[in-house]
Amino acid sequence: TDLRKQSAEEMARLDFDGFGIGGSFSKEDLGESLRVVNEILPNDKPRHLLGIGEPEDIFMGVENGGDTFDCVAPTRIGRTGTIYTFTEGKLDLRKQRFARDFGKPDAHCDCYTRTNYTRAYLNHLMRAGEMLGAHLCSIHNLHFVVQLTERIRLSIIDGTYAKFKESFMSTYKLRAE
């Protein structure tokens, strides 16, 4: 914490257009680390959080002063056949139960993958080792994160952020595999 504070104080003295914040966040100290740093950095400059890509981390980042985010998580898990969904949490589409599931990957998404492919086909691609499966799951996950951050932004604007977060996290965590 002392080193993060010292770094933030030094960076705040410099005339940057914005700040990149990162460095070995653990789930346990993510919120506190971001809070400490963002209390020091100038409020009128954007803060870009590095390595923040899991849905629960995005909420924590927003709550602690993050403006934008990037992370390999959506594509990393996509390459292994796992997707984020709005109503079922994370799904590992390689599992046998998806082999004959002709439903859409996520009923609440309008991405290319959801529009054109089923869970069964993605299951087949992943089990066969076809690169297309990893690409399609990654496309979906990136679209999911963009949709999520857009919904978070709109909930902040209309004053329903706490309700939106509670609703999303109860469903997402409840069903995540």
Side-chain angles (χ1 to χ4, degrees), residues 85-103:
T85 69
F86 280 99
T87 57
E88 297 177 83
K90 284 185 193 176
L91 298 178
D92 181 350
L93 295 179
R94 297 171 299 176
K95 291 190 174 187
Q96 182 62 35
R97 71 183 177 110
F98 296 112
R100 299 209 186 294
D101 183 342
F102 296 99

Side-chain angles (χ1 to χ4, degrees), residues 136-170:
L136 292 172
C137 289
S138 293
I139 287 168
H140 167 76
N141 286 343
L142 291 170
H143 188 79
F144 173 94
V145 169
V146 169
Q147 278 189 307
L148 177 61
T149 55
E150 185 175 278
R151 290 177 185 184
I152 289 171
R153 181 180 157 275
L154 292 173
S155 74
I156 291 168
I157 291 168
D158 69 19
T160 61
Y161 174 79
K163 184 178 178 182
F164 173 73
K165 178 187 176 186
E166 180 183 340
S167 173
F168 174 85
M169 291 305 294
S170 67

Side-chain angles (χ1 to χ4, degrees), residues 4-71:
R4 287 190 188 278
K5 284 181 180 178
Q6 180 183 353
S7 176
E9 288 165 355
E10 292 294 325
M11 297 305 291
R13 288 189 194 89
L14 302 173
D15 186 28
F16 286 119
D17 292 330
F19 299 93
I21 303 168
S24 297
F25 293 123
S26 68
K27 295 281 186 188
E28 297 76 35
D29 77 346
L30 175 62
E32 178 64 13
S33 295
L34 294 175
R35 185 191 61 75
V36 165
V37 168
N38 283 323
E39 284 178 350
I40 296 168
L41 294 175
N43 288 326
D44 62 338
K45 307 243 175 140
R47 295 105 187 267
H48 180 77
L49 306 182
L50 305 153
I52 306 297
E54 291 288 334
E56 57 271 29
D57 298 342
I58 293 172
F59 281 101
M60 190 170 297
V62 165
E63 291 167 9
N64 288 285
D67 297 303
T68 58
F69 314 87
D70 76 78
C71 187

